[in-house]
Amino acid sequence: MSKGSSLSSRNSSSSENNFRSESFSEERDLESIPETGCLSIIVLGASGDLAKKKTFPALFNLFRQGFLQSNEVHIFGYARTKMSDDALRDRIREYLTPNKGTSSEQAEALSKFLQLIKYVSGSYDSEEGFRLLDKEISEHEFAKNSQPGTSRRLFYLALPPSVYPSVCKMIRSYCMNQSHLSGWTRIVVEKPFGKDLSSAEELSSQLGELFDEEQLYRIDHYLGKELVQNLLVLRFANRFFLPLWNRDNIDNIQIVFREDFGTEGRGGYFDEYGIIRDIIQNHLMQVLCLVAMEKPVSLKPEHIRDEKVKVLQSVLPIGQEEVVLGQYDGYKDDPTVPDGSNTPTFATVILRIHNERWEGVPFILKAGKALNSRKAEIRVQFKDVPGDIYKCKKQGRNEFVIRLQPLEAMYMKLTVKKPGLEMSTIQSELDLSYRQRYQGVTIPEAYERLILDTIRGDQQHFVRRDELKAAWEIFTPLLHKIDDGELKPIPYKPGSRGPAEADELLAKAGYVQTHGYIWIPPTL
């Protein structure tokens, strides 16, 4: 059976009410696009880094795998830079095939994909530019014999949030599809969604005056990662997790993001936001919601997002004594960073969820740059075994670790008998490493999943307005204290674990570090 036929045979409505149980494959969770009018994908900011490194490669991979069909889709790039269609194609070509030695099949797919791309130049607040864009889109729709009102227009804003209001006004005024039939207009916006509660609410209000919530897709690429998407399946489709996932058994939960490099030429941009706005308030909070939420009524997007909002509304105000900030030595050497910058490049923040399931369990969110390793993971640490007859407490606790990146894996740290004649114990693991278990399977990139979800109209993995507001309510008081200089980051050396005070805070919160144990990804 061909990929197209196998995908079209899936019952999309039943998948909303049942956890997907298909075997892991390249097509996992990617359904065919509904048959309706032609599809126009408009990438605004087409000449920028985000578009060429993430958006266009994701579109190409969807095309190459058959999820975008050349007989129905056309892709438009829009930006201020004046250039031809071929100039844009040449600009993005190297990012579409990053590996040398492209096969003839891939080369043919690349050639066909690039021919689908047309470029329109114009400013982001120009009636003339957007009228020209609408003219080009309409000509494509007419050429595809789309009936009025059945065409689909997806606008991807690969742009700074400062221009969202003006761009969206132009789209609303000049580029809307007549969606009274089966067609639609949808807008994808990238983070950051504001800098604090008031700016986020202002931006939400501006966009909300122009578009319905069903038309807005606030993208957080962490929600497209394979193991993040696996969290609900793990929690609610496995019987042995259900009785353990609560305050009676879990001592603490860490959600960690570590990078082994600094701002790498992005110092000016990063200094405007800092590690909390850049990583913790969005990416890590989204993961926390999926880890902590109650079981939704169904897999309908609104039921899932309702439960995420309830988690955020249950988070207590952050205590200043449960925050450690850091800034790596050399950060201010970047000429684009102010000499007196108070911006943290590292933060450990403890959140407390005031509800029946999680009362007393610290959720430790930790993110930093220029550290000693690069990884993102969830670490669920269980309480000590009562009546420890093997005297193995010092070896470490049971932990369930979900490695989000790199080397996607899930493993359970547990105590076993050390092989040999003596009765002694050692820490080992039950390991599911994706590279070994699913050999030859390409795990789709986050942007591929999320763009396809947008086309399908599935908002499950996108941030709803009230969810965004609740997350900003948690962090805005802390951020204002940092902005006002009330909280100062502690210097730390690049290549370290971060400030020593952060490890002290973890110990105070109850986290027990396992000394002498290192998880080594298995090899064949």
Side-chain angles (χ1 to χ4, degrees):
M1 181 181 290
S2 68
K3 179 176 292 184
S5 60
S6 67
L7 288 170
S8 61
S9 66
R10 292 180 186 166
N11 187 329
S12 60
S13 62
S14 66
S15 69
E16 290 182 341
N17 300 307
N18 299 285
F19 284 99
R20 297 177 176 92
S21 58
E22 297 99 337
S23 60
F24 185 98
S25 69
E26 193 168 330
E27 301 109 313
R28 177 190 175 276
D29 215 9
L30 301 178
E31 299 179 18
S32 58
I33 300 165
E35 291 184 5
T36 181
C38 69
L39 172 64
S40 298
I41 299 175
I42 304 95
V43 180
L44 297 115
S47 60
D49 272 3
L50 176 63
K52 66 186 180 184
K53 292 179 180 178
K54 295 294 183 182
T55 314
F56 283 116
L59 292 172
F60 174 58
N61 286 331
L62 290 174
F63 174 79
R64 189 167 52 85
Q65 297 173 63
F67 298 113
L68 297 177
Q69 299 292 332
S70 57
N71 62 350
E72 67 173 4
V73 69
H74 208 71
I75 299 168
F76 299 86
Y78 185 92
R80 290 187 293 246
T81 307
K82 293 190 179 299
M83 58 180 166
S84 64
D85 296 348
D86 285 337
L88 176 62
R89 293 163 185 164
D90 291 340
R91 180 174 292 208
I92 66 174
R93 187 187 303 270
E94 65 179 293
Y95 296 96
L96 304 183
T97 54
N99 301 320
K100 294 182 179 180
T102 304
S103 67
S104 58
E105 181 181 353
Q106 191 175 25
E108 182 181 357
L110 176 62
S111 177
K112 290 180 179 178
F113 175 77
L114 291 174
Q115 292 307 307
L116 298 177
I117 297 174
K118 184 171 185 61
Y119 182 73
V120 178
S121 174
S123 68
Y124 296 124
D125 56 359
S126 160
E127 174 182 340
E128 180 185 1
F130 281 87
R131 283 192 182 278
L132 177 59
L133 177 61
D134 181 68
K135 177 175 176 290
E136 296 289 352
I137 299 171
S138 299
E139 287 179 358
H140 159 65
E141 293 169 347
F142 180 78
K144 296 296 183 183
N145 297 317
S146 283
Q147 296 299 314
T150 64
S151 297
R152 298 163 289 161
R153 296 185 178 187
L154 169 59
F155 292 86
Y156 194 110
L157 274 58
L159 295 165
S162 58
V163 299
Y164 287 173
S166 61
V167 167
C168 288
K169 285 179 184 176
M170 291 296 108
I171 294 172
R172 182 71 196 179
S173 299
Y174 306 111
C175 297
M176 294 291 288
N177 178 49
Q178 301 302 314
S179 56
H180 57 279
L181 296 177
S182 59
W184 44 253
T185 301
R186 292 173 185 156
I187 314 296
V188 179
V189 293
E190 281 272 356
K191 77 167 187 73
F193 313 116
K195 294 185 67 175
D196 57 11
L197 178 59
S198 61
S199 60
E201 278 292 276
E202 181 182 3
L203 181 58
S204 292
S205 296
Q206 290 172 328
L207 300 187
E209 291 174 0
L210 300 169
F211 302 105
D212 296 333
E213 184 66 22
E214 292 75 19
Q215 295 175 295
L216 290 170
Y217 289 71
R218 300 175 189 87
I219 194 169
D220 186 325
H221 76 271
Y222 253 59
L223 290 175
K225 288 186 176 295
E226 177 61 37
L227 268 73
V228 173
Q229 297 213 332
N230 211 342
L231 280 171
L232 297 191
V233 178
L234 283 170
R235 288 195 55 201
F236 302 127
N238 292 290
R239 183 67 180 88
F240 61 85
F241 277 127
L242 294 176
L244 296 178
W245 212 260
N246 54 50
R247 64 192 299 270
D248 297 327
N249 300 286
I250 293 174
D251 186 89
N252 60 80
I253 295 177
Q254 276 194 76
I255 304 173
V256 179
F257 175 92
R258 304 166 66 92
E259 288 182 332
D260 56 2
F261 53 89
T263 52
E264 302 291 317
R266 295 175 65 244
Y269 167 83
F270 181 85
D271 197 74
E272 188 179 349
Y273 293 96
I275 198 71
I276 294 176
R277 290 183 174 98
D278 196 40
I279 301 296
I280 295 179
Q281 184 273 338
N282 39 71
H283 298 331
L284 300 196
M285 284 301 288
Q286 288 296 318
V287 174
L288 178 144
C289 288
L290 297 176
V291 170
M293 64 184 269
E294 298 298 320
K295 181 187 287 188
V297 175
S298 76
L299 284 183
K300 290 181 179 178
E302 293 315 304
H303 289 160
I304 291 174
R305 298 202 291 182
D306 287 345
E307 296 302 331
K308 290 168 66 182
V309 171
K310 290 177 186 177
V311 171
L312 295 171
Q313 292 173 337
S314 299
V315 175
L316 296 173
I318 299 170
Q320 190 168 319
E321 72 282 358
E322 293 195 310
V323 177
V324 171
L325 306 176
Q327 185 185 89
Y328 69 83
D329 294 335
Y331 168 70
K332 287 182 281 195
D333 293 343
D334 187 324
T336 63
V337 174
D339 291 339
S341 172
N342 195 52
T343 300
T345 61
F346 173 98
T348 295
V349 180
I350 296 177
L351 299 184
R352 309 276 179 175
I353 299 176
H354 183 57
N355 64 18
E356 183 178 3
R357 182 181 294 271
W358 297 116
E359 184 75 37
V361 178
F363 282 75
I364 303 163
L365 307 187
K366 182 165 66 175
K369 290 183 173 291
L371 299 176
N372 59 349
S373 62
R374 173 182 171 265
K375 65 180 177 181
E377 65 184 15
I378 305 160
R379 190 172 289 270
V380 180
Q381 187 169 91
F382 292 88
K383 293 184 175 182
D384 293 322
V385 174
D388 180 16
I389 60 175
Y390 289 102
K391 307 291 190 294
C392 55
K393 180 177 178 179
K394 290 183 179 179
Q395 291 179 343
R397 290 169 163 171
N398 293 148
E399 287 185 358
F400 179 48
V401 182
I402 303 172
R403 173 70 70 98
L404 305 178
Q405 68 180 34
L407 301 175
E408 293 92 343
M410 293 180 282
Y411 61 95
M412 175 72 82
K413 286 170 56 177
L414 70 168
T415 302
V416 297
K417 177 186 174 296
K418 187 176 182 178
L421 295 174
E422 295 184 7
M423 177 53 72
S424 59
T425 59
I426 191 173
Q427 281 230 318
S428 186
E429 69 277 327
L430 300 175
D431 193 310
L432 168 58
S433 290
Y434 274 51
R435 185 171 293 182
Q436 278 66 42
R437 177 64 180 85
Y438 304 113
Q439 294 179 51
V441 174
T442 301
I443 297 177
E445 289 289 333
Y447 281 92
E448 295 173 38
R449 298 178 186 278
L450 296 177
I451 289 174
L452 191 58
D453 279 348
T454 307
I455 296 170
R456 291 168 49 211
D458 185 347
Q459 290 188 309
Q460 174 179 332
H461 303 116
F462 296 84
V463 182
R464 201 167 64 188
R465 179 174 177 174
D466 57 343
E467 185 181 346
L468 177 65
K469 179 182 178 182
W472 276 120
E473 286 175 338
I474 294 168
F475 283 97
T476 292
L478 172 62
L479 289 167
H480 284 177
K481 287 179 181 178
I482 297 170
D483 294 342
D484 294 340
E486 293 180 38
L487 287 177
K488 301 284 187 182
I490 301 166
Y492 65 94
K493 293 187 180 302
S496 68
R497 285 176 52 83
E501 289 83 349
D503 285 336
E504 294 169 6
L505 179 61
L506 262 62
K508 184 179 177 182
Y511 176 71
V512 177
Q513 188 173 350
T514 305
H515 295 284
Y517 170 88
I518 299 176
W519 176 69
I520 301 174
T523 56
L524 294 175

